[in-house]
Amino acid sequence: MKKLKTVLIALMVVFILAGLYLASNREKEFSATQFLLDTTCSLTFYGDESREATEAVFEEIGRIENLMSMYKETSDVYRINTSKAGEEISVSPDTYEVLETAQEIAKESGGAFDITVAPLTTLWNFTAETPKVPTEEEIKECLNFVGYENIILKDGKVIKTKDEVRIDLGGIAKGYAGDRAKEVAERFNLTGGIIDLGGNIICFGENPKSEYKIWRVGIQVPFSPTGTYEKTIDIKYGAVVTSGNYQRYFEKGGEIYHHIIDPKTGYPHKADYDSVTVAMESSLIADCLATAVFVTGDEELLEKYQGEVYFEKAFKE
Ligand code: ADP
Ligand code: MG
């Protein structure tokens, strides 16, 4: 009898300790949000070093923004955009890797993904207070300088074929930042985490809030309030990236003009879907492919890179 009592007490102590351990671990969740890369970046990390990891990851995203922003005068992109034809511009290994991937996807997508759309994105200026539809002449003029073959990469250096060629990494920089953010986070003592860079979601480790420890990512229904989901994707590890026409656009004469440009025509690409979501391990590739598939509507590209693709439409009124 006495033995049973001792066993029961011992068991109780074990349960209390386990409960305390779980409670203290739950407290090690840390979430924070910052505006970087022209978007809202939210991090949620779990584990002993969740706070330290958050700081380091924001610092890393800030570093990438400083390299790849079109507007910061010290960025690699700014130096490329203001360079003369034939001039060799040395860039950081980060920018070089992004440019190599951009050029690869440009080739694979037949030019649907093309970072040299910059003259067009500047002309359309979707975020202007009073945006306007450019004239056909203005678009034609820009198209003279659009085409990925106008950018040559050689031994860590970037060369343009014409002075007016400019690049916009808006369709790829967040993707790269997502992979880097995960890499930095994984240097810390964490059990898992989720990185959300304006709709580019990257997950790693275990989700303590899920029975099976997996992450469930919802696909935003276009033109509905943020957080409206019809479809969810369950993943253990990797990226879920969406490109859509519903975040950056303006309306004129009943027509929606959005920020994903068909580099062949110079106009926003018209499609019978409103967003394309790509799920795969690499956030960098997923970001390019989501934009590329938005322009082509062609799923075949995903086979080569072993990803999944989902097309979404707005709810009908
Ligand atoms: P988001 O920025 O909303 O995540 P995307 O990844 O599709 O969406 O990127 C869109 C951005 O990419 C545009 O704002 C512009 O800067 C740039 N862009 C637009 N059209 C193209 C294109 N065809 N190829 C590459 N980049 C593009
Ligand atoms: Mg993209």
Side-chain angles (χ1 to χ4, degrees), residues 1-15:
M1 192 63 196
K2 207 173 162 196
K3 207 169 169 192
L4 184 67
K5 213 169 152 187
T6 318
V7 169
L8 278 176
I9 289 171
L11 268 177
M12 251 169 70
V13 170
V14 167
F15 276 126

Side-chain angles (χ1 to χ4, degrees), residues 201-221:
I201 316 276
I202 300 96
C203 310
F204 62 94
E206 295 183 339
N207 177 2
K209 291 179 178 163
S210 136
E211 190 183 346
Y212 302 105
K213 307 290 176 217
I214 52 169
W215 304 95
R216 177 161 289 177
V217 180
I219 302 181
Q220 172 66 36
V221 177

Side-chain angles (χ1 to χ4, degrees), residues 108-113 260 262 264 269 271 273 276 289-301 311:
E108 293 288 339
S109 66
F113 182 83
I260 304 173
D262 182 340
K264 300 275 187 317
H269 179 71
Y273 42 82
V276 172
L289 289 185
T291 308
V293 174
F294 193 97
V295 173
T296 61
D298 183 3
E299 298 175 44
E300 242 171 71
L301 255 181
F311 295 87

Side-chain angles (χ1 to χ4, degrees), residues 95-310:
T95 306
Y96 202 73
E97 185 185 337
V98 166
L99 295 179
E100 279 184 319
T101 305
Q103 295 298 75
E104 177 188 325
I105 305 293
K107 280 189 200 104
E108 293 288 339
S109 66
F113 182 83
D114 192 330
I115 54 171
T116 65
V117 290
L120 289 165
T121 54
T122 309
L123 177 67
W124 280 96
N125 195 7
F126 297 98
T127 48
E129 263 182 43
T130 46
K132 59 177 204 308
V133 181
T135 65
E136 271 180 44
E137 286 69 41
E138 286 173 316
I139 289 186
K140 249 173 99 184
E141 168 69 11
C142 287
L143 287 174
N144 289 325
F145 312 116
V146 175
Y148 64 90
E149 5 22 91
N150 291 320
I151 293 287
I152 296 155
L153 303 178
K154 203 181 77 186
D155 308 325
K157 297 189 181 70
V158 185
I159 303 147
K160 304 195 304 196
T161 60
K162 299 170 187 151
D163 291 352
E164 296 86 346
V165 170
R166 290 192 292 114
I167 59 168
D168 174 351
L169 301 185
I172 184 170
K174 275 193 285 172
Y176 180 72
D179 287 335
R180 294 291 317 149
K182 186 181 71 182
E183 228 174 281
V184 168
E186 285 180 327
R187 287 183 205 148
F188 289 84
N189 187 7
L190 300 177
T191 53
I194 185 155
I195 297 159
D196 179 351
L197 311 181
N200 285 34
I201 316 276
I202 300 96
C203 310
F204 62 94
E206 295 183 339
N207 177 2
K209 291 179 178 163
S210 136
E211 190 183 346
Y212 302 105
K213 307 290 176 217
I214 52 169
W215 304 95
R216 177 161 289 177
V217 180
I219 302 181
Q220 172 66 36
V221 177
F223 299 103
S224 284
T226 306
T228 311
Y229 305 132
E230 256 199 330
K231 222 176 271 162
T232 54
I233 309 175
D234 285 344
I235 52 169
K236 282 191 96 163
Y237 189 87
V240 178
V241 175
T242 300
S243 274
N245 60 11
Y246 56 90
Q247 287 128 333
R248 258 167 225 194
Y249 68 93
F250 65 87
E251 252 176 299
K252 273 262 156 80
E255 190 83 40
I256 282 188
Y257 297 97
H258 64 84
H259 73 146
I260 304 173
I261 309 271
D262 182 340
K264 300 275 187 317
T265 65
Y267 284 85
H269 179 71
K270 272 194 192 162
D272 55 8
Y273 42 82
D274 295 304
S275 76
V276 172
T277 297
V278 170
M280 64 167 60
E281 186 170 335
S282 159
S283 147
L284 170 63
I285 309 265
D287 198 9
C288 305
L289 289 185
T291 308
V293 174
F294 193 97
V295 173
T296 61
D298 183 3
E299 298 175 44
E300 242 171 71
L301 255 181
L302 268 300
E303 280 165 31
K304 175 168 178 179
Y305 293 96
Q306 294 174 350
E308 286 165 34
V309 64
Y310 305 84

